[in-house]
Amino acid sequence: MKERPSFPARWGGNTSPAKPKSAPGTNLPQGLGMDSSAVRQRMVQKLAGQGLSDPRVMAAMGKVERHRFVDSALVNQAYEDTSLPIGLGQTISKPGVVSRMVELLCAGVTGKLGRVLEIGTGCGYQAAVLSEVASEVYTIERLRGLHEKARENLRFLRLAHVHLLLGDGMLGYPQGAPYAAIISAAGGEAIPTAWTDQLAVGGRLVAPVAQPTDRGVGSAAAQALVVIDKTSQGLRHTVLEAVHFVPLKSGLA
Ligand code: SAH
């Protein structure tokens, strides 16, 4: 008797491989591959429904495979609009927040952004998104474990224009300055002056910043997304919607 082909079988005919059982956002197939592209397009459609409209950012969000940046146990949630743990008490931001911030950085710029500084590399996902819209990306992480994880996660993309740095991002990275854009994935009490110093005139910074609350001493400070535009006349601050980011901390760990 002929031996059965081992599974998965490759049939001679033009039968397409069995469709993985997958309800949107739940049962993503293990190998993902082409199917993950369709799942990302659905995610981009949802983001568009929330107001995302910059075609460069939509293309970047549709291209970068978020599932490659999260633990295998969380792959099924990779394309939901939710933040996820990435280890060492840190989180990968929600796709809605990543796309919102990157869209803010790109607004008013035609073509690609120039050099961008990201504070808080985390797992490297946002750096990969930025690499699609900028000519060069410098990204700093203060936790060695995550810096190394990001290096591992980004290796397969071979992005020569993304520079992963281990350091205290509160100091910025003067060697790469001036930056066309600066983006922080961690929120502090105020914007460090190093960041605005290293921003180019005409450049834009987007970061979460603690906002004074009227609930008295001891109440958790709320964060808001703050945009700073550096003009020849000085800095222009705009406070946008409330957000929730991990804290900006000084020093290495
Ligand atoms: N952009 C990341 C999000 C990571 S969460 C991603 O796509 O995964 C924010 C990160 O900021 C955390 O990893 C935290 O360790 C880091 N962080 C906080 N303060 C920092 C600082 N002063 N310098 C560099 N990284 C910092």
Side-chain angles (χ1 to χ4, degrees):
M1 200 170 113
K2 248 179 122 187
E3 220 186 319
R4 280 173 191 268
S6 61
F7 199 77
R10 205 179 257 284
W11 307 111
N14 60 3
T15 323
S16 53
K19 265 251 173 259
K21 304 177 271 169
S22 71
T26 53
N27 250 335
L28 279 175
Q30 290 309 299
L32 288 161
M34 283 173 59
D35 291 89
S36 84
S37 166
V39 180
R40 273 192 303 287
Q41 291 316 319
R42 273 203 295 277
M43 176 186 81
V44 170
Q45 278 162 20
K46 281 191 196 152
L47 296 175
Q50 292 165 23
L52 176 66
S53 65
D54 187 319
R56 294 166 291 183
V57 184
M58 291 167 89
M61 297 300 293
K63 182 169 173 191
V64 179
E65 299 179 319
R66 193 169 184 257
H67 68 270
R68 290 187 186 268
F69 294 84
V70 298
D71 284 352
S72 50
L74 299 171
V75 160
N76 290 349
Q77 295 171 65
Y79 297 108
E80 289 171 15
D81 196 18
T82 174
S83 55
L84 295 169
I86 53 173
L88 302 177
Q90 308 303 318
T91 52
I92 180 174
S93 310
K94 289 158 65 141
V97 168
V98 172
S99 58
R100 166 82 167 135
M101 290 175 84
V102 177
E103 185 170 51
L104 284 167
L105 288 187
C106 290
V109 176
T110 34
K112 279 207 165 187
L113 285 172
R115 275 199 303 277
V116 176
L117 175 67
E118 178 192 40
I119 292 92
T121 313
C123 66
Y125 171 72
Q126 185 170 267
V129 172
L130 289 168
S131 80
E132 293 291 322
V133 301
S135 61
E136 208 156 1
V137 179
Y138 290 85
T139 176
I140 313 183
E141 174 57 54
R142 63 181 286 274
L143 300 177
R144 186 179 294 275
L146 286 177
H147 167 72
E148 281 163 7
K149 186 181 238 182
R151 186 172 298 289
E152 195 57 42
N153 287 342
L154 290 167
R155 181 163 292 141
F156 79 101
L157 289 174
R158 299 175 195 277
L159 302 170
H161 63 305
V162 175
H163 312 284
L164 298 171
L165 308 159
L166 177 65
D168 181 356
M170 286 180 85
L171 308 173
Y173 185 67
Q175 293 90 326
Y179 297 100
I182 298 181
I183 180 169
S184 177
E189 294 298 311
I191 303 277
T193 48
W195 298 358
T196 47
D197 289 349
Q198 291 170 28
L199 192 62
V201 172
R204 176 172 267 197
L205 182 158
V206 180
V209 183
Q211 300 298 302
T213 57
D214 52 10
R215 277 176 279 151
V217 183
S219 64
Q223 287 175 338
L225 216 49
V226 170
V227 173
I228 296 183
D229 289 306
K230 189 163 179 174
T231 72
S232 49
Q233 279 86 49
L235 302 175
R236 197 172 56 230
H237 287 65
T238 312
V239 179
L240 301 173
E241 67 268 22
V243 283
H244 189 69
F245 278 79
V246 295
L248 181 70
K249 293 186 177 172
S250 58
L252 292 187

